[in-house]
Amino acid sequence: MNQDTLLLRQVHPSFVQADSISSQAFSITSQVFKPTPKDEGKLSVYNGQKFTAEGSYHHFIATNPNGSIGVLGVTSNECDTEALPCVEDNNPFDGHATIDFNGLSNNQVDKKAKKLKALALNRGWLYKQN
């Protein structure tokens, strides 16, 4: 991945209020996306060099039929600017990556999640279910 790589994030329907995205779309503290101990504080995203936004959506809903209404994205550089390391780990599939929130307080996680949300919303929906 390079600095301009889009990191594609699936948006759960419960994170949309009147077609507006809540900050929980990028928050690891939400109930739906709350990491389990095995997740180690890392937010799952798709590597935009290996998946289109639409392709990531269809890949995701193949195993999570009601788990996404669309895709937002931030770049690797935007995450780096927020001191959030991004790593393509290819686990559990080729093209899987993570945004690492480890070592942050809950307050810092909330602030960084809001910043990522703002960046993603500025870019707009990359793919949205009809």
Side-chain angles (χ1 to χ4, degrees):
M1 295 187 309
N2 62 46
Q3 294 297 302
D4 296 322
T5 299
L6 276 172
L7 304 172
L8 307 170
R9 178 72 177 154
Q10 303 302 315
V11 179
H12 192 275
S14 67
F15 297 142
V16 178
Q17 300 166 355
D19 207 33
S20 177
I21 308 299
S22 78
S23 63
Q24 290 179 333
F26 286 99
S27 174
I28 62 171
T29 62
S30 70
Q31 289 299 87
V32 175
F33 290 105
K34 184 177 179 182
T36 63
K38 70 176 175 56
D39 293 326
E40 301 174 350
K42 296 177 181 174
L43 191 68
S44 291
V45 292
Y46 283 76
N47 176 349
Q49 290 181 319
K50 293 188 176 177
F51 282 88
T52 64
E54 183 176 358
S56 73
Y57 170 82
H58 290 293
H59 181 267
F60 186 79
I61 64 165
T63 55
N64 303 280
N66 298 310
S68 179
I69 63 160
V71 180
L72 293 174
V74 293
T75 65
S76 180
N77 185 57
E78 290 166 340
C79 291
D80 288 345
T81 299
E82 292 301 312
L84 294 169
C86 305
V87 176
E88 182 180 25
D89 58 10
N90 295 314
N91 184 17
F93 56 85
D94 185 38
H96 180 269
T98 59
I99 300 172
D100 192 347
F101 284 80
N102 278 309
L104 301 176
S105 69
N106 287 339
N107 186 42
Q108 290 171 316
V109 168
D110 289 342
K111 286 181 179 180
K112 290 183 185 292
K114 286 179 184 177
K115 179 66 176 180
L116 292 181
K117 179 193 97 167
L119 291 165
L121 287 178
N122 187 52
R123 185 170 284 109
W125 286 102
L126 301 175
Y127 178 80
K128 190 167 181 212
Q129 172 190 9
N130 294 328

